[in-house]
Amino acid sequence: MEFSVLADSFNKMESTRKRLELTQLLVELFEKTPNEVISKIVYLIQGKLRPDFEGIELGVAEKLAIKAISKSSGISIKKIEEEYRKEGDLGYAASKILEQKTQTTFLVEDITVERVYETLFKISKLGGSRSQDMKIKYISSLLNDANPLEARYILKILLGSLRLGIAENTVMDALAIAFSGNKDNRKILEYAYNVSSDLGKVAEIIATKGLERIKKFEVVLFNPIRPMLADRVKSEEEAIGKMGTNFAAEYKLDGERVQIHVEGGKVVLFSRSLENISNYYPDIIEKIPKAIQADNAILEAEAVAINENTGDFLPFQELMHRRRKYKIEKAVTKYPITVNFFDILYCNGKICLELNYKDRREKLEKIVREDDFVKYIPMTIVKNENEIKDFLENSINAGSEGLMLKMLDKPYQAGSRGSNWLKLKREYQNELGDSLDLVVIGGFFGKGRRTGSYGTLLLATYDEDEDTFTSICKVGTGFSDEDLDQLYQILNPKVTIKKNPRINSEMEADVWFEPELVIEVVASEITISPIHQAAKDKIRKDAGLALRFPKFTGKIRLEKAAEDASTNEEVITLYKGQKKVAHDRNLI
Ligand code: AMP
């Protein structure tokens, strides 16, 4: 398939944000796509080469791309950098530059989607000392044969700056229309996606084998399942209102969610955002096979740091000491954990998602054998507010965050947030009090004691409609010296020359970061703001929402992707909830 077909589609898609138009453009593209390349096209649309859980990263830095453009065009690096600064996007800058170039050269070889994809794939595999030169060689050879529009999109994919604003649901709508003639069949595709986390694979199956085959989609071991998520409630009373008077309450432990795939001695671990995190937990890899009484299984657990002497749970940030490439063994002994199981999704070759909670918990307790390292999450059945209160108290005393409340007769809904699971944290019980997970988008250099670090950070919520990150506050309190050091180490490689186009902020920062890191903050209140962009125009015209007195809680949420951060919808709900509390107390 000619790459120009894809580049033309990308070009049209970039000029609209309307979901219906994007769907139509995708349908037209899919109809032109041969079956053998459909999965590649679906990955490329999302700016990827493979599903996220395979961890394939292109890892091409702007500087390297600039060298490659220079090599293929013969134009100096300085000139390219100037053009880049003018355009604000290297893809556009490259197409401008190559427009000058193509007048003097002729195209050597047509560029196909397959060739671009294979080359990008090779680049992603390169490592070691000579890899930079090889990357430049591969990129410039593509650019040599590319027309300006193609070059623009090759670079955007390489740099991870292709942002078409196409949500997974939109891709599924288009696949359903293109290959089954009916948008309503998206529901069937959604199931397949939720249990495989691989949209390319879903596309390939519907294109080559049809809808009937998708209906029989099987869970595959070592392919992560998209996790079920919980709604939040603020009080025991609200929980009873939503769940009735007979449901399970589990401790909500403050650790990292781990999806454990095991068969024989082979164990693979996935995080909540479906990243392969096996390397960080060699202790789980080693000890789990002995604890599992089944040929194979997919289980969910919360890994929690513990105090070795007392067995008490320690806060989440202790786990982050394990987020390192080297000397992980040392971290494993210094920061011991327990693995606390709470669900079973697959067992002995069979899916368990359809089983209700009660049956899954029973199965879990049959399959998993407890010991010092392996535990079940404490659970009890509750029937009234007092029973919830008592169990919440116990849970907090044991060092956990609160409770997860789960309907007994409901299945596991992969990939969805709903009211079959509710979370009740103690902090939700006071006014705003709720913590928010926010994306770090900018930094301000520290002064005094904080020189050499970012003393204050600019934070953003996730705007799901626009697929952007909207500023909501600056935060400069709650940081220990150690936190500032650690944040500096993490954030420094994320500094960009230009503000990423997905960042929506009127406030200027000293430096801009790639919007990737998520941290947790608490605040006293949400207020209307003329400067911040979160929920702009939603509560008041020409104004957004901001956090008042935000404070870092000490939690760097490395397990969350930027798109998992608190959304503007959530902030609006909190804002309205806070007004209601004030109203109920006759404060307004
Ligand atoms: P939150 O990150 O606040 O949305 O809370 C959801 C997270 O709580 C999950 O992703 C798990 O990491 C964690 N968690 C702790 N205990 C449980 C439990 N008993 N059941 C499910 N999730 C739990």
Side-chain angles (χ1 to χ4, degrees):
M1 179 178 180
E2 302 280 305
F3 188 71
S4 59
V5 176
L6 189 60
D8 276 342
S9 287
F10 282 168
N11 196 20
K12 288 185 192 139
M13 289 174 195
E14 268 189 339
S15 64
T16 179
R17 285 258 157 204
K18 295 203 183 95
R19 184 162 170 183
L20 279 181
E21 284 176 20
L22 283 170
T23 311
Q24 188 49 36
L25 288 168
L26 282 171
V27 171
E28 284 163 21
L29 173 64
F30 292 154
E31 283 169 348
K32 283 184 223 156
T33 304
N35 287 350
E36 341 46 281
V37 269
I38 186 91
S39 62
K40 296 187 171 83
I41 295 278
V42 166
Y43 297 128
L44 291 174
I45 285 166
Q46 299 175 290
K48 304 175 188 169
L49 293 179
R50 293 286 302 154
D52 286 340
F53 63 85
E54 290 190 14
I56 293 184
E57 301 222 359
L58 277 163
V60 171
E62 286 170 350
K63 276 200 178 131
L64 189 133
I66 291 173
K67 280 189 195 159
I69 301 169
S70 170
K71 184 168 179 199
S72 97
S73 63
I75 291 171
S76 74
I77 289 182
K78 201 159 156 255
K79 187 114 192 288
I80 298 169
E81 280 176 346
E82 260 167 34
E83 194 71 40
Y84 174 25
R85 238 165 267 136
K86 240 195 293 164
E87 291 292 327
D89 178 295
L90 200 48
Y92 283 96
S95 53
K96 277 267 164 69
I97 284 179
L98 291 174
E99 263 162 31
Q100 302 163 21
K101 187 206 112 177
T102 43
Q103 290 154 10
T104 53
T105 33
F106 54 93
L107 301 184
V108 188
E109 200 186 321
D110 269 351
I111 300 217
T112 60
V113 172
E114 291 88 333
R115 176 174 163 209
V116 173
Y117 183 90
E118 296 311 329
T119 312
L120 297 184
F121 208 80
K122 276 189 212 152
I123 292 172
S124 77
K125 293 276 167 212
L126 284 173
S129 55
R130 288 196 49 237
S131 71
Q132 302 293 309
D133 292 344
M134 289 298 286
K135 283 183 188 172
I136 294 175
K137 207 177 122 208
Y138 281 137
I139 301 168
S140 60
S141 87
L142 278 183
L143 296 182
N144 274 341
D145 295 340
N147 68 32
L149 193 68
E150 291 168 340
R152 180 195 300 175
Y153 290 107
I154 290 171
L155 281 161
K156 278 178 174 257
I157 299 168
L158 270 166
L159 296 164
S161 62
L162 179 70
R163 297 290 175 194
L164 300 173
I166 299 180
E168 285 140 358
N169 281 343
T170 312
V171 178
M172 286 190 267
D173 278 345
L175 287 171
I177 298 170
F179 298 109
S180 79
N182 183 355
K183 188 167 142 189
D184 294 342
N185 287 328
R186 183 185 96 198
K187 283 267 158 290
I188 301 166
L189 293 174
E190 242 171 56
Y191 172 78
Y193 175 53
N194 284 335
V195 300
S196 67
S197 319
D198 187 345
L199 211 47
K201 184 168 161 183
V202 174
E204 187 177 310
I205 295 185
I206 187 151
T208 56
K209 308 219 165 88
L211 198 65
E212 285 312 306
R213 187 61 187 273
I214 286 276
K215 284 185 189 158
K216 291 190 214 128
F217 200 91
E218 297 273 337
V219 168
V220 177
L221 208 57
F222 306 112
N223 255 41
I225 293 173
R226 299 183 69 227
M228 177 163 175
L229 304 171
D231 264 350
R232 50 166 75 106
V233 280
K234 284 192 165 186
S235 65
E236 292 81 3
E237 190 189 352
E238 192 184 345
I240 299 266
K242 288 197 164 154
M243 286 197 155
T245 51
N246 193 22
F247 50 88
E250 296 176 355
Y251 283 9
K252 184 177 192 303
L253 299 183
D254 186 15
E256 175 162 30
R257 187 173 190 160
V258 193
Q259 195 179 109
I260 303 178
H261 292 232
V262 50
E263 183 167 51
K266 180 173 175 193
V267 182
V268 177
L269 312 177
F270 296 102
S271 69
R272 173 193 152 122
S273 50
L274 308 182
E275 186 196 345
N276 185 328
I277 47 168
S278 307
N279 286 342
Y280 304 130
Y281 294 104
D283 38 359
I284 303 187
I285 304 282
E286 183 201 324
K287 294 178 187 167
I288 283 308
K290 281 175 240 145
I292 306 299
Q293 324 262 327
D295 294 340
N296 48 43
I298 303 176
L299 303 141
E300 277 203 303
E302 189 82 353
V304 187
I306 52 152
N307 176 321
E308 208 169 13
N309 300 321
T310 60
D312 288 344
F313 293 129
L314 297 176
F316 168 81
Q317 52 269 44
E318 293 294 315
L319 277 183
M320 290 303 119
H321 294 290
R322 287 176 171 236
R323 275 289 197 277
R324 51 166 84 174
K325 274 201 179 130
Y326 308 104
K327 300 202 179 143
I328 179 78
E329 284 75 19
K330 216 164 150 196
V332 165
T333 30
K334 201 159 166 214
Y335 304 99
I337 57 167
T338 54
V339 183
N340 302 272
F341 285 87
F342 62 83
D343 221 315
I344 181 158
L345 314 183
Y346 181 87
C347 179
N348 286 330
K350 290 209 186 80
I351 304 178
C352 306
L353 305 178
E354 301 303 325
L355 299 180
N356 66 37
Y357 170 85
K358 224 164 125 247
D359 294 344
R360 295 201 312 279
R361 178 81 190 198
E362 242 166 55
K363 203 179 224 357
L364 179 73
E365 293 186 12
K366 253 192 227 146
I367 301 292
V368 178
R369 199 174 44 202
E370 279 195 298
D371 58 27
D372 286 352
F373 183 74
V374 170
K375 310 272 176 207
Y376 311 130
I377 278 200
M379 185 273 277
T380 188
I381 306 289
V382 285
K383 294 198 162 53
N384 55 47
E385 276 184 42
N386 280 341
E387 287 178 9
I388 308 177
K389 272 201 177 101
D390 289 347
F391 202 56
L392 179 62
E393 208 57 41
N394 292 347
S395 141
I396 302 284
N397 288 341
S400 68
E401 284 185 309
L403 296 180
M404 292 291 279
L405 307 171
K406 301 183 178 178
M407 297 284 272
L408 294 173
D409 57 352
K410 291 289 189 278
Y412 187 97
Q413 287 171 301
S416 70
R417 189 185 290 284
S419 48
N420 292 339
W421 281 14
L422 298 176
K423 52 187 171 185
L424 174 65
K425 289 198 206 173
R426 168 112 94 191
E427 61 199 42
Y428 295 162
Q429 296 181 324
N430 52 44
E431 291 173 36
L432 170 65
D434 194 3
S435 62
L436 290 167
D437 292 321
L438 300 175
V439 185
V440 184
I441 53 173
F444 303 86
F445 294 118
K447 298 198 183 78
R449 193 166 61 87
R450 295 184 171 183
T451 310
S453 64
Y454 302 114
T456 301
L457 300 175
L458 182 60
L459 303 180
T461 42
Y462 179 49
D463 183 325
E464 282 182 301
D465 297 335
E466 297 291 323
D467 191 29
T468 53
F469 300 99
T470 42
S471 78
I472 187 162
C473 67
K474 270 162 77 169
V475 63
T477 52
F479 301 104
S480 67
D481 289 352
E482 208 188 25
D483 291 335
L484 289 172
D485 265 4
Q486 200 186 354
L487 282 164
Y488 191 75
Q489 303 297 334
I490 300 173
L491 287 169
N492 226 14
K494 300 189 193 297
V495 173
T496 54
I497 306 178
K498 279 264 181 184
K499 183 164 77 178
N500 183 307
R502 289 173 85 200
I503 293 176
N504 181 354
S505 170
E506 293 285 304
M507 187 176 269
E508 286 298 323
D510 290 345
V511 286
W512 295 107
F513 305 118
E514 285 296 353
E516 288 170 355
L517 183 72
V518 178
I519 65 171
E520 189 185 83
V521 300
V522 286
S524 67
E525 207 189 333
I526 299 174
T527 55
I528 301 277
S529 161
I531 302 163
H532 287 295
Q533 303 295 306
K536 180 91 177 255
D537 295 332
K538 290 282 163 64
I539 302 287
R540 186 178 301 164
K541 192 157 182 332
D542 295 329
L545 292 177
L547 299 187
R548 189 141 181 260
F549 301 131
K551 185 175 166 212
F552 176 54
T553 61
K555 292 188 190 169
I556 301 175
R557 315 254 0 207
L558 290 176
E559 85 287 10
K560 287 203 173 181
E563 290 79 5
D564 296 326
S566 300
T567 60
N568 284 335
E569 283 306 310
E570 288 177 69
V571 173
I572 291 169
T573 311
L574 286 171
Y575 177 78
K576 289 184 177 159
Q578 142 195 305
K579 298 240 331 187
K580 188 172 173 304
V581 170
H583 192 264
D584 291 349
R585 294 188 185 162
N586 295 326
L587 294 177
I588 53 173

